[in-house]
Amino acid sequence: MPTPDMRRAMAEAELGDDVFGEDPTIDRLERRAAQLTGKEAAVFVASGTMGNLCAVLAVARSGQEVIADADSHLFMAEGGGSAAVGGVQVRQVPTEAGVMSAEQVREAVRPTNDYHAPLTVAVCVEDTHNRHGGVVWPLEALRAVREVADEHGLAVHLDGARIFNAAVAQGVAVDEIAATADTVTFCVSKGLGAPVGSVLSGPAGVIDRARRWRKAVGGGWREAGVLAAAGLWALDHMVDRLPEDHANARTLAEGLAELPGISIDLRRVQTNIVRFEVTAMRAAEFAAACRERGVLGGAYGARGVRFVTHFGIDPPDVQRALGVCAEVLS
């Protein structure tokens, strides 16, 4: 939830009509995002899903294909937007932990002389990886995928919804990660705590096409500087505290690992997402029982559960959550 200071920044934001390029606060956020990611330009969008969609539509045409891992948010959780809106197919690469190898990407690229297959035009990577528990892509893996993309003339899009978590976990700057991709999305919501919005950054020409697609899919902002102001405040005040979320997630994960009826791979708890399996009951039943006791999490499939630590969750909250989980499982 927005902090009092963030709400104050929203209330005092300078406003204008962004469809006509007249909102100074949105303009400041876009310039800041471009600078942070080392790109030429940026566009403020309603969500990470919209940012990913606009990125794909800006580089791919109907009947073409982008490569992504089989558990990617782009493929699994965005309503089939690339196919529904753009007629763009997603080539799914199965992975162990959401991190595609360079060789996997190379093998997934379609031959340009095979008229039976769609043309491959881009590779999409997700860092941190949601469905694999907040796993961080090693920089060398990102760079290796970039090299393969360059060999084949492909664009690279980075779904960096939680790129600041990835940067903090690795002790590197955001632009070092972003340098491995042509276009990058990041959310000012999620770990940074703003109420709404993401930013897509990249080459000026690509962002101009993405801005046109943003309008076409209903994402033209009017006086949305109130939201951009929250994003700017988040970038100024919420990044340095992300290690707290990572530490809380580690404590939560280690506590869950000690509970009978829970299976968890602690190697994947690298940032602020904790995914585990409930072996003693169905995930939906477990999540509902936790919710009744004031602990919120998501159920995925028959056994999977996701908890996320964020601003407003403190060490005592983690201990209370562990107590609730133990009670539900008993």
Side-chain angles (χ1 to χ4, degrees):
M1 298 295 288
T3 69
D5 286 339
M6 184 183 288
R7 290 178 185 270
R8 191 171 301 111
M10 295 169 72
E12 297 172 355
E14 295 181 80
L15 304 180
D17 191 322
D18 183 58
V19 170
F20 297 108
E22 296 172 350
D23 192 303
T25 308
I26 291 178
D27 180 62
R28 284 198 294 273
L29 176 60
E30 291 174 342
R31 284 188 279 108
R32 178 80 178 280
Q35 180 266 325
L36 284 170
T37 56
K39 306 303 180 187
E40 289 183 327
V43 56
F44 185 38
V45 295
S47 65
T49 294
M50 182 180 285
N52 290 339
L53 176 61
C54 290
V56 169
L57 297 176
V59 300
R61 299 194 303 273
S62 179
Q64 295 181 332
E65 185 173 75
V66 299
I67 297 168
D69 79 270
D71 292 319
S72 64
H73 196 276
L74 178 78
F75 175 65
M76 295 291 291
E78 299 188 358
S82 297
V85 180
V88 178
Q89 182 167 292
V90 179
R91 180 77 180 272
Q92 305 133 51
V93 175
T95 66
E96 175 63 26
V99 178
M100 297 180 288
S101 70
E103 190 55 36
Q104 283 181 302
V105 173
R106 183 177 286 108
E107 291 178 359
V109 178
R110 306 281 193 175
T112 57
N113 61 352
D114 183 357
Y115 297 147
H116 301 87
L119 286 172
T120 308
V121 295
V123 182
C124 300
V125 298
E126 182 179 334
D127 190 18
T128 65
H129 200 292
N130 183 356
R131 283 183 174 262
H132 286 278
V135 165
V136 177
W137 270 69
L139 273 174
E140 57 269 24
L142 288 170
R143 289 166 179 157
V145 168
R146 168 86 266 178
E147 288 181 12
V148 172
D150 289 343
E151 289 172 11
H152 294 275
L154 309 180
V156 177
H157 172 63
L158 171 58
D159 176 359
R162 296 176 175 85
I163 194 173
F164 289 92
N165 293 89
V168 166
Q170 295 178 99
V172 301
V174 165
D175 61 357
E176 192 170 352
I177 300 173
T180 64
D182 300 290
T183 53
V184 182
T185 52
F186 70 78
C187 293
V188 293
S189 56
K190 297 187 171 67
L192 298 187
V196 176
S198 293
V199 188
L200 168 65
S201 59
V206 175
I207 296 304
D208 185 65
R209 293 196 296 275
R211 192 178 292 275
R212 178 175 289 276
W213 276 113
R214 182 190 71 165
K215 180 63 177 175
V217 298
W221 297 112
R222 294 301 176 180
E223 290 78 10
V226 289
L227 300 176
L232 284 166
W233 194 93
L235 290 172
D236 286 338
H237 299 91
M238 302 296 273
V239 175
D240 289 344
R241 59 154 306 280
L242 289 177
E244 299 172 22
D245 297 339
H246 297 182
N248 286 333
R250 170 54 58 172
T251 300
L252 177 61
E254 290 176 349
L256 287 169
E258 296 177 359
L259 296 180
I262 284 181
S263 174
I264 185 169
D265 184 352
L266 292 175
R267 295 172 300 174
R268 299 194 183 197
V269 185
Q270 300 172 12
T271 51
N272 69 323
I273 298 176
V274 179
R275 280 187 177 263
F276 56 96
E277 289 192 350
V278 181
T279 59
M281 58 200 303
R282 294 188 65 83
E285 181 185 356
F286 174 84
C290 288
R291 176 179 288 272
E292 290 174 359
R293 294 163 174 79
V295 175
L296 307 184
Y300 299 87
R303 301 296 177 189
V305 176
R306 185 187 78 156
F307 286 160
V308 179
T309 54
H310 52 80
F311 177 76
I313 301 296
D314 297 318
D317 299 312
V318 172
Q319 295 306 315
R320 179 173 177 275
L322 287 170
V324 166
C325 291
E327 178 184 336
V328 169
L329 290 165
S330 64

